[in-house]
Amino acid sequence: MAGSPLPRTRYDWTRDELAELLDGQPRYRVDQVWQGLHDQGTEPEAWSNVPKAVRATVAEHLPRALAPAAESVSDDGETVKWLWDLVDGHQVETVLMHYPDRTTVCVSSQAGCAMACGFCATGQAGFDRHLTTGEIVEQVIVARRRSAEAGKRLSNIVFMGMGEPFANYDRTWEAVHRIHDDLGIGARHITLSTVGVVPGIRRLAEADLPVNLAVSLHLANDPERDELVPINRRYPLDVLAEACADYVDATHRRLSFEWALIDGVNDTDRHARELADYARPLRAHVNLIPLNPTPGYAVRGTPRARVDAFAAQLGDLGINATVRRTRGTDIDAACGQLRASHGEGGPTAVAAPTRR
Ligand code: SAH
C-alpha cells in the first residue's frame, strides 16, 4: 500500500460528487444516473432514459473496479462465486448465497489477509492489499443485480470473504455506510466478522450504525489460540473478552462467536467447556462450522456426529449454538477456502446456518 494511491472507481463516488461531475444537468438527471448506478446496478449503456452524452461521461469518469475473471455456480444455482481482477491485477472473491428465507452476499475487505490463521486458505496465501470502498461496494452491487435477475432480493451482507475488515477499518466502514445509506440495507442485516482485532471492536462499539459483530474465536484458551490464530498473541483472550463486553454494553447488540470445528484440535469436551465459560458472561451466540478443507492445512473437519455432540454439550452448558451446513463444496467458495487461485486446491463449500 506504500506505493501510488489506488484509482477511484465507480462506487467511490458520492452523490454530491456525481452532481458536480454532471454540473449543468437538471437534478432529476442526477437522480436517474444515481438510480442506474445503485438501484439497477447496470452499465450506463442500459439507461435508456438518460441522454447518450451523460452516459458517456459516467462511463468515462466512473470506471468499474471489478473485472470478472471467473464465475462458478453450485448448489443448483443457489450459490454463486465470483473471482475478480482488480485494476492493479490483484484478485478477490465474492460469494452469493440464496436461502429460502433470505439472500446473503459474503464480501471481501482485503486482497489476501495478513492474519495468517493456518486453517484458512486466505491466511495461507498472505496479504496483497486493502480494498478500497468502491471495490467493496461494487461486490454488493453485482450481487444485488444478480439476485434481482434471479427474482430474489439481496437481504444480508456479511464481511466474511477474504481479509480482515478491522485491519482495513476506515474503508470498510465507509463501505458499510454506502451499503446502508445508498443501497438501503438495514444495519441489522450487515455483519462484520473479525478474527479479534480489538481496536476495531472498540471503534465499532462507538460507531453510528448498529451492525452485527461476529468474532472468529475457534479456541478459548490462550496457549492453543496463540498457535491457531496468531493475532491472539497481540490481543489475548482476556483483552478480547473485555472489548466484547464493552461492545455489548455499549450497543446492546447480540455478539456471535464463529467456531470452525477441527478434528481433535478444538472439538473435545474440554474445548466445549472452555468455550461455554468464555461465551456465557458475554451472552454470545455460537456458530459452529465444520472446518472446510484447504490446501495448506492437513487436519480435517470434525465428523458430523461429533459436531452434533459438541453442539449438544454447549446447549447443556447454557450456550445457544447453531450448526452451519456447508455449501458450494464443488466451487471452492466455502468459509476459509477463498484464496483467489482458481482451479487448484481441494473441494470447497460455503458455511450456511442450518434452518432450525
Ligand atoms: N478475517 C475475518 C473475516 C474472514 S473469515 C474473520 O476472521 O472473521 C470468515 C470466517 O471463516 C471466519 O469465521 C473464519 O474463521 C472462518 N474460516 C476460515 N477458514 C475456515 C475453514 N477452513 N473452514 C471453516 N471456516 C473457516
Side-chain angles (χ1 to χ4, degrees):
M1 279 299 287
S4 56
L6 290 161
R8 298 188 78 223
T9 56
R10 184 164 297 176
Y11 294 95
D12 285 309
W13 286 69
T14 65
R15 203 181 179 294
D16 288 347
E17 289 168 336
L18 181 68
E20 215 168 287
L21 177 73
L22 303 179
D23 191 27
Q25 293 291 331
R27 197 196 156 93
Y28 74 87
R29 190 70 79 207
V30 180
D31 290 342
Q32 285 172 334
V33 170
W34 191 252
Q35 282 157 14
L37 291 170
H38 292 86
D39 299 344
Q40 292 150 42
T42 45
E43 288 302 309
E45 68 222 29
W47 311 335
S48 50
N49 57 341
V50 175
K52 220 172 169 178
V54 174
R55 287 187 262 159
T57 303
V58 174
E60 183 195 339
H61 287 88
L62 280 68
R64 290 281 300 258
L66 309 176
E71 182 181 316
S72 339
V73 178
S74 168
D75 299 317
D76 276 338
E78 298 299 281
T79 304
V80 182
K81 183 181 81 164
W82 291 277
L83 173 67
W84 304 109
D85 285 327
L86 307 178
V87 291
D88 61 355
H90 290 303
Q91 293 187 319
V92 293
E93 296 180 335
T94 306
V95 184
L96 176 65
M97 293 163 282
H98 298 299
Y99 302 95
D101 59 335
R102 69 191 184 287
T103 292
T104 299
V105 64
C106 179
V107 300
S108 297
S109 56
Q110 299 180 314
C113 185
M115 296 295 126
C117 302
F119 57 93
C120 174
T122 310
Q124 288 157 18
F127 178 70
D128 294 325
R129 69 164 170 83
H130 298 304
L131 295 192
T132 62
T133 296
E135 288 166 337
I136 298 171
V137 174
E138 196 170 312
Q139 295 174 63
V140 179
I141 295 279
V142 173
R144 194 159 85 149
R145 171 93 199 132
R146 176 62 61 90
S147 300
E149 285 165 3
K152 317 250 180 172
R153 191 180 61 85
L154 180 65
S155 54
N156 293 65
I157 317 294
V158 297
F159 283 77
M160 296 185 181
M162 298 171 76
E164 167 50 46
F166 288 169
N168 184 21
Y169 191 99
D170 291 332
R171 296 177 194 86
T172 295
W173 191 250
E174 178 66 24
V176 165
H177 255 287
R178 303 291 181 93
I179 292 163
H180 175 271
D181 304 349
D182 299 341
L183 300 180
I185 309 257
R188 285 173 169 72
H189 294 266
I190 302 173
T191 299
L192 296 184
S193 181
T194 180
V195 69
V197 175
V198 163
I201 297 172
R202 297 220 166 271
R203 288 184 71 179
L204 193 68
E206 310 279 305
D208 57 358
L209 289 175
V211 300
N212 303 306
L213 174 64
V215 175
S216 298
L217 197 62
H218 309 308
L219 278 161
N221 73 75
D222 279 321
E224 289 176 1
R225 196 167 191 266
D226 281 350
E227 294 304 313
L228 195 71
V229 180
I231 196 71
N232 194 68
R233 295 172 209 160
R234 182 126 157 239
Y235 307 113
L237 286 162
D238 56 344
V239 173
L240 178 61
E242 205 181 300
C244 289
D246 291 348
Y247 169 85
V248 170
D249 283 349
T251 62
H252 305 293
R253 305 283 307 135
R254 191 182 75 175
L255 175 72
S256 9
F257 286 137
E258 307 292 308
W259 192 279
L261 278 164
I262 311 173
D263 197 17
V265 170
N266 65 354
D267 63 355
T268 68
D269 289 355
R270 168 177 66 82
H271 290 108
R273 286 195 302 272
E274 288 172 356
L275 167 56
D277 289 344
Y278 195 80
R280 193 178 299 108
L282 299 166
R283 291 185 300 279
H285 183 93
V286 173
N287 286 313
L288 300 171
I289 315 155
L291 185 84
N292 297 307
T294 59
Y297 191 71
V299 189
R300 314 188 58 105
T302 298
R304 184 70 211 201
R306 181 68 210 146
V307 171
D308 291 341
F310 194 90
Q313 192 184 350
L314 288 177
D316 291 344
L317 294 167
I319 303 300
N320 279 318
T322 307
V323 178
R324 293 177 167 224
R325 76 192 163 87
T326 289
R327 284 180 73 165
T329 317
D330 48 336
I331 58 167
D332 286 331
C335 280
Q337 293 185 312
L338 303 183
R339 63 184 287 153
S341 69
H342 100 110
E344 343 163 341
T348 332
V350 176
T354 21
R355 315 238 316 137
R356 308 191 113 189

